[in-house]
Amino acid sequence: MRTIATGIAALLLPLTALAADPDPARFQLERSGDHFVRLDKQTGAMSLCEEKDGSLVCRMAADERAAYEDELDRLSGRVTALENKSIVNKALPTDAEVDRSISIMERFMKSFMGMVKQFQEEEKTAPLPQKT
C-alpha cells in the first residue's frame, strides 16, 4: 500500500509544479494612472492592481465581482440541492431488500464453497508434480 501511495505521489509531483508556475504570457499588465489593469488572456478576466509594500495586489473588477458572486450563489444552490438529495437517498432498505441480498450472498457462498471442495478433491486425486 505504501508503494502505491509513493507511486501516485511521484506521478502527481510534476503536475503540482505545473500548477505552481503560471504561464508568464498568460497575463498582460497595463498602467492606468497610479493603478494597473491585469488582463488574463486565457479567461478574459480583468483585475485592478496596485502596488503595496513592494508587491502587486490585485482585486477583481466590479462587474466581474458581481458575475463571480452570482456563480458562487448558483453553485451553492446546487451543492445544497445535492446534499438534500443524498440525505433522502440514505433511507434504510426494506426487509424484502435485505432478505433478497442475503439470498444472493448465500447462493454465491454455496457456489464458491462448491468450487473450493472440487479443487480440493482434484488435488487429492492428482497431486501437482514436485519441481524441486
Side-chain angles (χ1 to χ4, degrees):
M1 186 59 126
R2 190 175 189 182
T3 57
I4 293 172
T6 306
I8 291 173
L11 290 173
L12 294 179
L13 189 60
L15 294 177
T16 58
L18 288 176
D21 295 332
D23 181 16
R26 178 176 175 179
F27 297 101
Q28 178 180 347
L29 283 175
E30 294 291 329
R31 181 174 285 282
S32 174
D34 58 342
H35 293 84
F36 292 94
V37 177
R38 181 180 71 175
L39 171 66
D40 185 343
K41 293 179 183 178
Q42 195 172 37
T43 64
M46 293 180 67
S47 303
L48 299 175
C49 305
E50 58 186 341
E51 191 174 348
K52 288 186 180 177
D53 300 326
S55 63
L56 201 58
V57 178
C58 299
R59 58 182 169 77
M60 287 187 208
D63 57 338
E64 290 184 13
R65 182 69 161 171
Y68 175 74
E69 293 199 10
D70 288 343
E71 182 71 6
L72 280 179
D73 291 341
R74 186 184 70 79
L75 292 174
S76 293
R78 284 185 62 191
V79 167
T80 302
L82 288 171
E83 287 173 345
N84 291 338
K85 183 179 178 182
S86 67
I87 290 171
V88 170
N89 290 338
K90 290 184 180 178
L92 294 175
T94 63
D95 288 342
E97 291 172 330
V98 171
D99 290 340
R100 182 172 181 270
S101 297
I102 291 174
S103 170
I104 291 170
M105 287 305 297
E106 284 176 347
R107 286 195 316 243
F108 169 77
M109 289 303 292
K110 285 179 183 177
S111 175
F112 178 74
M113 294 308 289
M115 289 185 342
V116 169
K117 286 180 184 176
Q118 181 182 5
F119 286 133
Q120 287 174 341
E121 289 173 6
E122 287 176 6
E123 189 176 271
K124 287 179 186 175
T125 57
L128 295 174
Q130 294 294 328
K131 294 187 176 184
T132 57

